[in-house]
Amino acid sequence: MPLADIAPRHLFFTGKGGVGKTSLSCATGLALADAGKRVLIVSTDPASNLDEVLATPLGQMPTAIAGAANLFALNIDPEAAARDYRERMVAPYRGVLPAAAIQSIEEQFSGACTVEIAAFDEFSKLLGDPAATAGFDHVIFDTAPTGHTLRLLTLPSAWSGFIASSSGGASCLGPLAGLEKQKALYAATVARLGDAVATCVVLVARPDAASLREAERTRGELAALGIANLQLAINGFFSREASDDGIARAFARRAEEALLAMPAGLAGLPRRVIPFLPRGTVGLEALRAVADPARAAAPQQVSTAATPLPPGLAPLIDEIAAAGHGVVMTMGKGGVGKTTVAAAIAVALAARGHAVHLSTTDPAAHIAAAVGGEAGGLQGLPGLSAGRIDPQQEVADYSAEVLAKAAPTLDAAGRALLEEDLRSPCTEEIAVFRAFAREVDRGRDGFVVLDTAPTGHTLLLLDAAEAYHREVLRTRGEMPEAVRELLPRLRDPDYTKVLVVTLAEATPVHEAERLQADLARAGIRPFAWVIGQSLLASGTHDPRLALRGECEIPFIRRVADELAPRCALLPWRSEAPEGVAGLRGLLDA
C-alpha cells in the first residue's frame, strides 16, 4: 500500500526511536503535496530533525518547503513553548501581587511538567482547534520516540482528571485557572484522537524483533486509549535476492524471521512495507524515493576506497575496567543501539570479575531482552544484575514516604492538599530523579552501567537538579545525599564515563554532536563515542549494502577525527547481539 493513500486528515507517525518516523512522515507529506494537497508536517519531538530531513530551517510557525509546492512544516519547541506559557500565566499578576509572590509563581512554572504541558498546549491547538489548521488538507504529526509519545497522547485525560480533582487552587503546574481555560480544547483533542475517520496513527517499525515488540506494546496502549484507526509501516525491508554474500543473506533472513514472528495484534493491522534504500533520506528527492521506490536508481557494484577504521570496544573497556568502579552511561538519539552497547559493556566488565549493575532510565526499556531476559539470561555471570527504574513504583514509594513524614503535622485539609499535590505529574519527575541519583550512587562500590533515555528526555533529567530541589521543598520531602552528590559525580571523569552512541549517518551524528555541546554546557565531557551497526566494517560486498557502507565514510571520519576524544566502531553482525553469548560476540569484533 503506497504511503500517499492514507486518507484521514490527521496522521500520526509513532514508534521506537530510529525506526524512520521522520522520514516516513515527510515522505507521506511530500507525496500528498505532490498530488495537490496542502499539507502541514508538525514535529512534537524534543530532539526533532525535521529541519534536516526537509533541508529547510523551521520554527514554530508553518514554513513553506522550497521545491515542494503545498508543503509546510513546523517544530514545536518545548523549551520555547514553556517560556511563552510561563509568561502567559505570570503576566496578569505583574504589578498586582508583591515581588515575592511573583517569584513564587515563577518557581511553580520552572519544573519539567511546565515544559510538558506547554508543548501539549501547542499540540492541542493544532489538533483540537480546527481553525488553527483550516488552510491545510492534511496535518501530519512526526511524533517523539514511543515513551514520550504515549505520555503526550495520554496527557489530555491526565490533565483533565487532575484539574477536575484539584481543589487547592495551585499546584506544581501553577495557578489552575490557566489550565481550566483549556478544558474545552483538551476535550476536543481527546475526541479528535479517537475519531477513526479524522485520525490515523501509523506505527512505524523496522523489520527486527525489538522494533516490532515495541510497536505491539504501543498498539495495545493506543487501543486502550480508544484510538482505533491504527496502521503499520515496516520501514527498510531488505528483500532476499540471489547473492553469495553472507551479510546480505543474514540481513534478509533476520528481516523475514522478524516479520514471521510478528505479534498477532500487530499482524492484523493494515500494513505498508517500505524497501531498504541504500542512500539516505535527507532532501526531497530522497523522500520521493521513499514514497515511490521505483524512482530510486539501482545501486552498482562499489569499490570502497580503503579508509582507516576505529578499533572496537575492547580498548574502551580496558580503560573503564582499570578504575575498578564507577558509572558508565550510554547516551544518544533513540534507536542507535545504546541498549546494546550498555549491555555489552556490562557483560565485559562482569566477565572480568567486577560487580556490575545494568539499569535504564528509559521509559521504553529493553534491558532485559538485551541480556537474554530475567530467566537464565545471566547464567555464568554471577556479578551481573539487571533492572530498570520503574516510574510507577518510584512514585508510590516517594508518595508514601512524603505522606508518612508529613502526617503528624497536618490536619485533614492539609493532608488532602498534599495528596492532591502528589497526584500531579511533577511527582513522577521527582521520584524518577531520586532513583537515577540512587543508581549513580551505587558506582562507589562497583560498576553501574546506565542505558539512558533518548536525548531529549535524558537532558531534561540531567537538567532537573534545581527544579527537583524546589519540588522537594514544596512537597515537604527531603534531599537525599545521593541527589546532592549527583551533578558533581556526573562531572567527575574518574567517576562517570559518558559514551555517546551513534550510527554512521547524517542525522544521528548531527544529533550526537548537539548532545555533546549540551553536555559541555552542563560541565560534562563524554569519555568516548561508539559508532554502531556499521555496514562498512561488516565486510559485505552486496551492492546495496556496500553502497550504504560507502555512504558511512564521511560520518565515521568526522566522528573519529573531529568530534570524539576516543572512538569505537562496531560492525553489523550476521547474528543479532542478544543474550550474553551474542554480546560477547560483539566484543570480539
Side-chain angles (χ1 to χ4, degrees), residues 2-11 13 24-41 68-71 137-140 272 287-288 291:
L3 288 169
D5 73 348
I6 307 177
R9 183 168 186 269
H10 299 107
L11 304 174
F13 286 81
L24 294 195
S25 60
C26 290
T28 303
L30 181 58
L32 290 168
D34 285 347
K37 304 292 185 181
R38 282 179 62 84
V39 181
L40 175 64
I41 303 175
N70 303 316
L71 184 62
D137 299 305
H138 294 279
V139 182
I140 298 176
R272 290 165 171 76
L287 291 172
R288 288 187 172 104

Side-chain angles (χ1 to χ4, degrees), residues 197-208:
V197 175
T199 301
C200 173
V201 177
V202 180
L203 304 173
V204 183
R206 295 282 185 184
D208 66 69

Side-chain angles (χ1 to χ4, degrees), residues 325-329 357 389 433-450 480-490 495-496:
H325 70 98
V327 173
V328 180
M329 294 174 61
H357 181 66
I389 294 174
F433 194 81
R434 278 173 26 128
F436 175 70
R438 196 167 59 239
E439 295 285 65
V440 170
D441 184 62
R442 294 176 65 163
R444 294 180 302 165
D445 304 317
F447 282 105
V448 175
V449 182
L450 285 168
E481 184 64 24
V483 174
R484 295 183 192 277
E485 295 292 331
L486 178 60
L487 283 176
R489 284 172 173 163
L490 294 179
Y495 190 92
T496 300

